[in-house]
Amino acid sequence: MSTAKDHTILGPNDGPAAEVINPQGGAAICLVCEHASAFIPPALADLGVAPEHRLSHAAWDIGGLDLATALSAELDAPLVASRVSRLVYDCNRPPSAPGAIPERSEVVDIPGNVGLSDVARDARVSGVYDPFKDLLRTTLDRFTTPPLLVTIHSFTPIWFGQPREVELGLLHDSDDRLARAMLANRPDGLDARLNAPYSVTDGVTHTLREHAIPRGLQNVMIEVRNDLISDASGVARFADILSAMLTKALATQEAL
């Protein structure tokens, strides 16, 4: 009989499933990057994914970690980041969601995720999702002032052959306060939209629902089109934009 030990995800040389960057950050903001890494542990033999897709948007949010790290430095905020590809386990999905361990992402097949046993799926949850969830929870517990919870993502400009014109998406679940306040403080000339290119109906707000809503924390899921953060200048530009939007949004709400 197959056991969890037969499905070890991370080996002794692979490092932890998640990390905190700038753990001593003093801002009352907790940044999160669930899709920060394209790393597939060697034990999973690349999940059978074709080489040309292993660093594609299917595997991670391109530019997401660079942007989140720059924003962490600019705001002086701690950042909780996954260190494992979302093709292994998508930390922005609950274990019950089919997309938590996807068999296909857009046009990319993931053979290593097809026909997994319950034991193999449980090993992905306990090896990747649980450590990420626990690290985010303990990071939030350390704040002495209730923080904003801000998740950082990127999205591909072309999805199933269709171009996406939106440049910045501000997504929310049941609490729309921060998303709407940020949208009201967007810079001129930036195509920023509420709940685009995804929304709560796409099942993408799990982190907000799991960690922010129960604590009553204001929250937002940020999506940046990845061609706009493909180099250092693009990352710096959006770090400045998002820092200003968050700061102005918070100041506006505090004045109410």
Side-chain angles (χ1 to χ4, degrees), residues 88-170:
V88 177
Y89 188 95
D90 185 336
C91 287
N92 193 31
R93 299 291 189 280
S96 59
I101 307 175
E103 297 183 1
R104 185 175 175 85
S105 178
E106 193 194 14
V107 298
V108 178
D109 290 318
I110 305 104
N113 289 347
V114 176
L116 292 181
S117 67
D118 289 344
V119 171
R121 294 185 68 88
D122 288 346
R124 301 279 186 95
V125 174
S126 62
V128 180
Y129 175 69
D130 286 346
F132 173 86
K133 179 181 69 175
D134 292 344
L135 185 60
L136 178 51
R137 185 187 69 249
T138 57
T139 300
L140 289 170
D141 287 344
R142 293 191 193 105
F143 283 89
T144 56
T145 300
L148 306 180
L149 181 61
V150 179
T151 70
I152 306 296
H153 298 257
S154 73
F155 63 94
T156 179
I158 305 292
W159 181 250
F160 284 105
Q162 298 299 312
R164 288 159 153 175
E165 300 300 327
V166 61
E167 296 174 315
L168 171 64
L170 302 167

Side-chain angles (χ1 to χ4, degrees), residues 32 43 65:
V32 184
L65 180 59

